[in-house]
Amino acid sequence: MTADRAHPNYVAIWVWLVILMLTGVLATLLPLEKSAVIGLIFAVAAVKAVLVALNYMHLKSENWLIYALAIVPVLLVVAMTLVLFPDIVYRH
Amino acid sequence: MGEGTVASPVKPPQGIRPTMSHRARVDPIRLPVARTAHEDRSFWRTYIFSTDHKTIAKQYLFLALFMALLGGYLVYVMRWQLAFPDTSIPGFGFVGPETYNALTTNHGTIMVFFVAMPILLGAFGNFLIPLMIGARDMAFPRLNMLSFWILFASSLVIMSSFFVPGGAAAAGWTGYAPLSARTEYTGVNWGINLWLLAHALEFASFLMGGVNFLTTAITMRAPGMTFFRLPLLVWQQMTASVIFLLSVGPLIAGAVMLLMDRLLGTSFFVPEQGGDPLLWQHLFWFFGHPEVYVLLMPGLGAVLEVLAVFSRKSIFGYRWIIYSTISVGFLSLIVWAHHMFISGMDPRLAMPFSITTILISVPIALIVFSMILTLWKGSIRFTPPMLWALGFIVMFILGGLTGIVLGSAPVNIQVHGTYFVVAHFHTVLLSVVIFGSFTGIYFWFPKMFGRMMNVPLSNLHFLLTLIFFNLTFFPMHAVGLAGMPRRITNPLQYEFLQPVQSLNVYITLSALGLTLAQFLFLINFVWSIVAGRKAEDNPWESATLEWTAPSPPPHGNWGDTIPTVYRGPYEYSPPGVREDFLPQDLAPSARSD
Amino acid sequence: MRMAVVSEQSAPARRGKIAVWWLIASEVMIFGGALSCYILARTAGPGWSAEAAHLSAILATINTFVLLTSSMTMAMAFAAYQKADQRGVCRFLLCTILLGLAFLGIKAYEYISHIADGLAPWSGSFWSFYYLLTGLHALHVIAGIIVNIILLLAAGKGLHTGYRIEIAGLYWHFVDIVWIFLFPLLYLSY
Amino acid sequence: MFLNWLPENVSIHGAEIDSIFHLIYYITLAWFIVTVGALIVFALLFRRRDGQRAAYITGDRLPHAAWLLIPTALVLMLDLWIDFRGGDAWARVKLHAPPSELQIQVTGKQFNWEILYPGPDGRFGTPDDLQIDNELHVAVNRVVGLTLKSKDVIHSLYLPNLRLQQNVIPGREFHAWFQATKPGVFEIPCLELCGFGHSGMVGHLIVHTAEEYDKWVKEQWPAPSSPLKESDQP
């Protein structure tokens, strides 16, 4: 938050984000298996999210507390989803 | 160094600058001046729309006590109906089954969300966190004020739900879908919508409150107040806030979905159109179970503070308690499905959740052992707060142990949904809410209101509460073992419950006694605020920072300078020193040995 | 707000940042809960892909582009603040607000055309979730726009909006990240 | 003793659940006595006395903390014991159902239990299906398989004497089983709030002796539908 902190090149990040976005859209047109396509577009989405978080949200230059605040809820959501899979998805 | 920094705020006063820069060296993450104090001290700004954390704490307390009267009235009607089914209840009249369901639902909602949380988090957290860490106010005083007023609005909404056509929500405090999702199943329409709206406001209020608590405790500690010099109550309030913030999200999403089901005719939880009722239960309990620990933590914190002060001894294993608290917080997020063993969820999930559930008893047990060992070789003073604290431990052990019964998946098959559950969670929650809250209220009353409470009346209140509490809830376990279902209106409709009806009558009479005993407190409370003996700054000879401020503390809490902290919070009876306690802000050089 | 001393200014900035990160943590749980339900329900219920095919991936791609760009302008507003470039702050904040409004406009157009086609929230599970997730997200966009307008008004008066731009930015970028996941979840994976 | 309040157990798996209940009961009772006893003894022994100072013990260091950690480890071990005993019982009741000799379908609705018998052909969906509200007739010592459903909201089938409970959720189907060891009539309350008629939503489980059951079957399906019964006719 100090005035003289070097910050990432916001425009370059934006270019990357747009490229990734187009990759994600074009991936749906690939003649691959459905699961592969879905894996691909979500990998792209995850990379985009990480780019935004690290650069625009300045997570790169934050301390461990902020990192924990960003990561723990995500892990919790993933864990909750996985735990609920047998119950909601594979109904017996 | 300057004068009157507290009374003339708005612009940072000149005199405080040197102090500031000095402090900045001690601890870079310092918070400056009392920036919240306002010159405009009209009646409205001082007592109603105040941003002072202490006034807001009192507002929470008064709101909670009022709502407790309402919740108590509901339980009076319910218990009377159970003991003497289908008779006219004095002060109410006849209770139909629809009304009874509305009573149970709102009794649960009000007691958990409008009594327990406002007292334990709203009042204790607001009052004590800034005072204990040596801050002049919360990090965001206006947000703090907003939190309270949103809660106030929420309590108006829940009260108004009794007066809409169709009556108040009647789908249980858990609001299981599809019963809660479609009007035709309960006959209650606007009651449930308002009930959900009240929850939304309540969650928004405590979400903002939690953010405020955590930010305050992280960024506004006094110079020298490291994390391992924080009083345990602050640690536990922090843990409670973290658990709340992390667990309430899915339920907020779920509540929006349920409201959409009701208002827009969507089908998230209605199976006919492809919804899944179990999803609601998961979302509800993902929050609902951590909520128990959200309530428990502040109560536990208050008891620990009191134990140290009145046994004149350091808390046994301060650090171990902190580690346990954090592990309880973590574990509480992964035990929710033990409320759902027989709900129809995949039975293979039961054992993992049974194990985490029973594991959570391990850190809790450690805290209980530590509380008991704190008494070892102490010099115990049986003041009113100490009596409540000891009562808390006994009742909490009892409630915790019956939890093992419920946490074991196979035994849960038998006792789930019966009065055994009711007895268990009332023992736990009431030990936290009644004993924990009274521990805190009797202990910090002198600091809050600048006066002492009447001791004989306090002791009588404790004695009667302890007796009637056990007379009420201990037999309830037996009723539950006999198989009496929760939320039934009339036990006489069941042949197998005929033998326990006399117990039901007996429980009702004890519950009446328990309720009446609380009026002793109300009398004492009001009388002491008006005419109690004036309190000194530190009447209990406690070492933590809140007692270094005047009683009651002025706006801004301390005069010119914020205290600097030199040691941990529980330095009682240290060797080689004449005094039997060392306040946290006593400079080592000033020690008189 | 005219406090020159560094410690006094950095303290509120730090407090604000920590508070917003806590808020984001709880927001992650809110959106996470809803997304988790959506993923579970969609995996369990067959036949959702046909419903999802009604959505316009082109409009959504444009919307993603709009939101990503708004994130960049928001970050640049903060960069301008760091360079004490008052006009730059105003310009970039205005861009962010306009892009946010453009996003909402496109979203509204989508809503209207879907409802005109008879695809309302009560038209089945997929549509329930579609309106839930995008509606919840749109509410956050609206909240972000309001915050940005307040900052713009303050900046227009020449006041130092300072660290608040970074804090508002954190929230704005978070809303962007939510959309980054909503986009493939709703529009691309049919 | 406190657990005598439990209703009489009449099922084959109930004894195991009861034994775990007893195990937990004795463990928790012992802990209650030890901890509360220590609390009371300490409170009396170390009450304030003039001229006597409290000891200075922080309990953070290991030699002292052992007083915390050893009992805690003991708690952990007892917990795991309870869990492992419980795991087997749970699996027996909820996971590994034995092949059923009688299959009955129970459907909860506001505010009745609809009980559907497959009839002599043993299959649902045939004309000889018979529905009786709120009366579950079974034979003693036979494995009864239940198919559980709900028509509207969540109900919970509770058989306190059989140590059996299962929620029924609309849109899903559940299975439960039991084997009653004693004839008699037992109530089946609904244990999940299901609306204004929740209280009083009671069915009855009638466990017949083998002979009585055959008699009951004959009364219900008097038609000569099964070849076995034809031979009985004069």
Side-chain angles (χ1 to χ4, degrees), chain D residues 129-150:
Chain D
D129 288 5
L130 181 68
Q131 182 183 318
I132 306 177
D133 277 2
N134 293 326
E135 280 186 29
L136 180 58
H137 293 267
V138 299
V140 76
N141 287 330
R142 286 222 236 160
V143 178
V144 181
L146 298 178
T147 307
L148 300 167
K149 287 182 179 175
S150 169

Side-chain angles (χ1 to χ4, degrees), chain B residues 127 131 444-450 537 546-553:
Chain B
F127 189 77
L131 276 168
W444 282 292
F445 186 88
K447 189 52 68 185
M448 274 188 146
F449 298 100
D537 284 356
E546 76 269 28
W547 301 101
T548 63
S551 294

Side-chain angles (χ1 to χ4, degrees), chain B residues 26-27 29-30 129-134 217-218 220-231 234 318 544-546 563-569 584:
Chain B
V26 182
D27 184 350
I29 37 163
R30 283 274 334 112
I129 291 177
L131 276 168
M132 280 183 157
I133 65 173
I218 291 170
M220 299 184 56
R221 283 164 289 124
M225 180 61 94
T226 60
F227 274 113
F228 283 107
R229 282 180 185 168
L230 283 176
V234 178
Y318 167 80
T544 40
L545 279 189
E546 76 269 28
T564 304
V565 175
Y566 297 98
R567 58 180 63 77
Q584 280 191 281

Side-chain angles (χ1 to χ4, degrees), chain B residues 317 361 414 493 495-496 571 574, chain D residues 53 56 58 79 158 187 199:
Chain B
S361 72
Q414 174 67 10
Q493 288 168 314
E495 277 161 47
F496 75 110
E571 291 297 307
Chain D
R53 262 171 91 107
Y56 183 79
T58 62
D79 280 352
Y158 184 38
E187 274 166 302
S199 183

Side-chain angles (χ1 to χ4, degrees), chain B residues 351 354-355 358 361 401 403-411, chain D residues 16 19-29 31 74-90:
Chain B
M351 277 333 283
S354 188
I355 288 172
I358 291 199
S361 72
L401 289 174
I404 303 263
V405 175
L406 290 165
S408 164
V411 181
Chain D
E16 200 173 336
S19 80
I20 295 170
F21 208 152
H22 280 90
L23 174 75
I24 297 174
Y25 178 76
Y26 287 118
I27 290 176
T28 52
L29 186 67
W31 277 111
L74 200 59
V75 169
L76 178 63
M77 278 171 354
L78 291 171
D79 280 352
L80 292 177
W81 184 22
I82 292 172
D83 261 334
F84 286 124
R85 284 278 320 266
D88 297 340
W90 174 264

Side-chain angles (χ1 to χ4, degrees), chain D:
Chain D
M1 175 188 135
F2 200 62
L3 290 188
N4 288 346
W5 286 97
L6 279 173
E8 184 197 4
N9 170 42
V10 297
S11 79
I12 196 115
H13 67 260
E16 200 173 336
I17 288 179
D18 283 3
S19 80
I20 295 170
F21 208 152
H22 280 90
L23 174 75
I24 297 174
Y25 178 76
Y26 287 118
I27 290 176
T28 52
L29 186 67
W31 277 111
F32 185 77
I33 291 169
V34 169
T35 48
V36 174
L39 180 88
I40 291 169
V41 169
F42 290 175
L44 293 178
L45 271 184
F46 302 111
R47 64 185 185 277
R48 176 186 196 166
R49 289 198 177 86
D50 284 339
Q52 203 166 358
R53 262 171 91 107
Y56 183 79
I57 304 168
T58 62
D60 276 338
R61 296 272 187 80
L62 260 189
H64 279 135
W67 286 96
L68 284 179
L69 297 178
I70 291 171
T72 306
L74 200 59
V75 169
L76 178 63
M77 278 171 354
L78 291 171
D79 280 352
L80 292 177
W81 184 22
I82 292 172
D83 261 334
F84 286 124
R85 284 278 320 266
D88 297 340
W90 174 264
R92 195 162 163 213
V93 181
K94 293 283 183 188
L95 285 174
H96 311 306
S100 54
E101 298 165 69
L102 302 168
Q103 190 67 32
I104 300 168
Q105 178 177 309
V106 180
T107 308
K109 67 163 197 193
Q110 284 182 333
F111 301 97
N112 275 308
W113 297 111
E114 288 179 352
I115 292 163
L116 188 68
Y117 298 87
D121 65 353
R123 285 207 313 265
F124 291 107
T126 50
D128 67 346
D129 288 5
L130 181 68
Q131 182 183 318
I132 306 177
D133 277 2
N134 293 326
E135 280 186 29
L136 180 58
H137 293 267
V138 299
V140 76
N141 287 330
R142 286 222 236 160
V143 178
V144 181
L146 298 178
T147 307
L148 300 167
K149 287 182 179 175
S150 169
K151 273 190 174 164
D152 35 40
V153 298
I154 300 174
H155 302 273
S156 185
L157 181 92
Y158 184 38
L159 293 159
N161 297 77
L162 291 154
R163 310 289 187 261
L164 186 68
Q165 185 180 171
Q166 179 60 55
N167 276 19
V168 286
I169 299 180
R172 291 189 180 203
E173 202 179 282
F174 301 98
H175 297 280
W177 71 274
F178 63 84
Q179 186 176 355
T181 55
K182 194 177 160 187
V185 179
F186 308 100
E187 274 166 302
I188 315 175
C190 172
L191 216 56
E192 189 64 62
L193 182 65
C194 57
F196 57 84
H198 167 59
S199 183
M201 176 172 168
V202 202
H204 285 90
L205 168 72
I206 298 113
V207 183
H208 298 280
T209 58
E211 306 83 63
E212 268 176 15
Y213 182 74
D214 289 341
K215 204 171 119 212
W216 177 80
V217 168
K218 263 182 214 153
E219 280 168 18
Q220 301 305 321
W221 289 276
S225 50
S226 84
L228 268 175
K229 279 176 188 140
E230 277 173 358
S231 61
D232 292 345
Q233 282 172 352

